[in-house]
Amino acid sequence: MKLIIRDAKIIDSQSPFHNKTVDILIVDGLIEKIGTSLPNSEAVEELKFDNLHVSQGWFDSSVSLGEPGFEDRETISNGLSTAAKSGFTAIALQPNSYPIIDNQSQVNFVLNKASGFATQLYPIGALTKESAGKDMAELYDMKKAGAIAFGDYNKSLDNANLLKIALQYVQDFDGLTIAFSQDENIKGNGVANEGIVSTRLGLKGNPNLAEELQIARNLFLLEYTGGKLHIPTVSTKKSVQLIKDAKSNGLNISCSVAVHHLVLTDEKLEGFDTRFKVSPPLRTDSDRKALLKGIKDGTIDMITSDHNPIDIEHKKMEFDGAKNGTIGLESAFGALMTVLPLELVIDKLTSGKARFGIEIQTINEGSKANITLFNPKSKSIFTKANILSKSKNSAFLGTEIQGKVHGILNQGQLILA
């Protein structure tokens, strides 16, 4: 494949062409030449869009797809196609399928299913067998098969000793442990952030304390064991401060935040719309602003869509009984552009690769073409027509977004939205 991308502004702080508007010649999946007004004597295909910007390919550190077992929610094939058209050249797949991805054969299964797609899939192996929180899964075997980290999706490990052993064990092969942090006893039957809104609506509350206590415990364990830990989808002001303090004390800790926690608050629950039922729950505007501050000061390392397709039978029901989760790949960039500056959005959509051990390709001559193409200025309303996922449970339906993703170039393939 030969392709010239015309008049593209490069947003890549690691590239010598950062913030420059140039032409990019791609030959057989490699960036062969970058410059202005590149000649096209061989009638090579050209790609040009208004206000075109390009960056390193984006990475999402938390994506659920369903397959195997829940293909009615999403398949790996359609999920990777959706990710590509949403700007992501790589995703980390959560293990919450059926069966759970807790052994080498399950890792091999999803990798084989994902072979040949432009968007690369990196499996997260379950930390415990069947994500049941009782016995440690086959971590080393999964690592050898291709798992990039280990964690039980949206399940907090009550057994502190098991997490301690896991943190110690994975150091032998430089493994990354993921610890979703929520004290289930304090959460109880809570379905919404405990506060003014939940009280007014009569919904059982899930307090900030449930998250913060568990984060504090997990940080103490990390301090004791060494190794490295990732805390996904933090949602409270105090959580950000705890992680900031841990980093200043030299702990090898990283964390992510979900797009919806940066943009939406628990005020959205006024209509009892289950599209806004997520885990952790949407918090207050004070928490939201603290999360944005944590992004800006570097405490929060990466942003995830926390894409979680749920079938209509488990979403269109009374609030207490509905499953947690929102899809988020399609709306991630556009929603983030309404609350953060462009360069910071790109940084937080790409910086997770280093933490998860994924090869980084800067936009430079001689590099592999791993590129996302987008226009950061275009404004629109996010509608069902924008949803490419099989499930339609988006918390951003009807929301104004900024920016348009044109697609990706990766693995020698050009995928356009």
Side-chain angles (χ1 to χ4, degrees):
M1 180 188 75
K2 287 188 177 182
L3 176 71
I4 296 176
I5 302 173
R6 291 288 187 196
D7 299 327
K9 185 172 182 178
I10 294 176
I11 307 297
D12 181 358
S13 60
Q14 297 172 291
S15 168
F17 299 96
H18 179 51
N19 270 332
K20 295 180 180 177
T21 300
V22 293
D23 297 341
I24 306 171
L25 172 62
I26 314 287
V27 179
D28 296 331
L30 295 175
I31 299 174
E32 186 167 288
K33 185 71 176 173
I34 298 177
T36 54
S37 303
L38 292 182
N40 189 3
S41 57
E42 300 179 24
V44 171
E45 180 186 356
E46 296 192 3
L47 191 66
K48 188 169 184 177
F49 293 102
D50 290 340
N51 194 36
L52 178 60
H53 288 55
V54 298
S55 73
Q56 289 183 30
W58 303 341
F59 166 66
D60 194 330
S61 59
S62 178
V63 173
S64 301
L65 292 181
E67 188 178 7
F70 301 116
E71 288 85 356
D72 53 330
R73 298 179 188 176
E74 188 57 281
T75 61
I76 288 173
S77 173
N78 190 65
L80 291 176
S81 174
T82 298
K85 292 175 181 179
S86 303
F88 294 91
T89 60
I91 62 167
L93 177 69
Q94 292 288 357
N96 57 329
S97 53
Y98 184 78
I100 297 284
I101 302 172
D102 64 358
N103 60 67
Q104 190 175 26
S105 65
Q106 288 302 319
V107 171
N108 288 330
F109 174 84
V110 295
L111 285 174
N112 288 336
K113 278 283 193 175
S115 177
F117 286 87
T119 294
Q120 293 164 272
L121 181 149
Y122 295 90
I124 295 171
L127 186 65
T128 61
K129 291 180 180 178
E130 298 181 350
S131 287
K134 298 192 181 302
D135 301 299
M136 199 161 63
E138 301 168 6
L139 307 187
Y140 180 61
D141 286 348
M142 288 192 287
K143 173 79 170 182
K144 286 196 299 182
I148 58 169
F150 309 100
D152 297 327
Y153 180 66
N154 274 8
K155 291 184 176 181
S156 200
L157 196 54
D158 288 340
N159 187 334
N161 188 54
L162 190 53
L163 181 58
K164 175 181 76 74
I165 292 168
L167 282 165
Q168 292 170 326
Y169 175 65
V170 299
Q171 290 178 51
D172 289 340
F173 50 89
D174 195 32
L176 176 63
T177 303
I178 300 174
F180 178 75
S181 298
Q182 181 171 259
D183 188 300
E184 291 298 322
N185 293 314
I186 289 183
K187 170 189 173 279
N189 294 320
V191 294
N193 178 61
E194 185 174 271
I196 294 171
V197 173
S198 64
T199 302
R200 185 167 65 240
L201 298 178
L203 294 172
K204 296 183 180 71
N206 177 354
N208 289 17
L209 182 65
E211 175 174 308
E212 296 153 3
L213 263 184
Q214 200 77 349
I215 285 179
R217 186 205 76 170
N218 292 342
L219 291 173
F220 272 117
L221 288 170
L222 179 64
E223 184 178 23
Y224 179 81
T225 61
K228 54 186 181 181
L229 182 68
H230 178 71
I231 298 178
T233 57
V234 297
S235 68
T236 81
K237 181 177 181 179
K238 185 70 176 288
S239 296
V240 176
Q241 189 60 51
L242 287 167
I243 291 166
K244 185 174 185 177
D245 293 344
K247 286 187 171 187
S248 67
N249 290 331
L251 294 189
N252 193 343
I253 180 75
S254 61
C255 66
S256 69
V257 63
V259 175
H260 42 270
H261 285 117
L262 293 172
V263 181
L264 308 174
T265 70
D266 59 353
E267 294 286 343
K268 285 287 186 182
L269 303 185
E270 292 286 353
F272 296 96
D273 192 330
T274 58
R275 289 183 298 117
F276 302 111
K277 188 182 181 188
V278 291
S279 179
L282 296 176
R283 303 289 188 185
T284 65
D285 197 50
S286 174
D287 289 309
R288 187 186 72 85
K289 288 174 179 174
L291 294 170
L292 288 169
K293 184 181 178 184
I295 287 285
K296 292 171 183 175
D297 69 18
T299 301
I300 297 174
D301 302 273
M302 63 197 82
I303 299 173
T304 173
S305 70
D306 200 25
H307 181 83
N308 188 8
I310 304 294
D311 56 275
I312 192 168
E313 288 83 2
H314 290 96
K315 213 48 171 162
K316 281 267 187 178
M317 57 191 308
E318 64 178 29
F319 200 90
D320 280 3
K323 283 189 176 292
N324 293 306
T326 175
I327 58 171
L329 287 169
E330 301 97 314
S331 54
F333 177 67
L336 288 174
M337 285 299 296
T338 65
V339 292
L340 289 169
L342 174 61
E343 286 197 25
L344 197 51
V345 169
I346 300 305
D347 177 60
K348 297 304 179 182
L349 289 178
T350 55
S351 57
K353 286 185 275 191
R355 183 61 169 174
F356 282 82
I358 295 169
E359 187 178 12
I360 296 169
Q361 297 292 341
T362 60
I363 300 180
N364 201 1
E365 294 175 351
S367 296
K368 289 180 185 176
N370 183 306
I371 294 172
T372 298
L373 306 97
F374 57 94
N375 175 355
K377 293 294 185 186
S378 172
K379 289 188 177 181
S380 62
I381 301 296
F382 189 78
T383 68
K384 278 192 175 180
N386 301 114
I387 295 178
L388 305 171
S389 302
K390 287 183 70 175
S391 295
K392 311 302 177 186
N393 56 308
S394 170
F396 289 99
L397 278 174
T399 303
E400 184 176 71
I401 57 174
Q402 179 178 322
K404 175 177 174 55
V405 176
H406 293 301
I408 63 168
L409 207 164
N410 190 37
Q411 301 285 83
Q413 301 177 55
L414 174 66
I415 305 295
L416 297 178

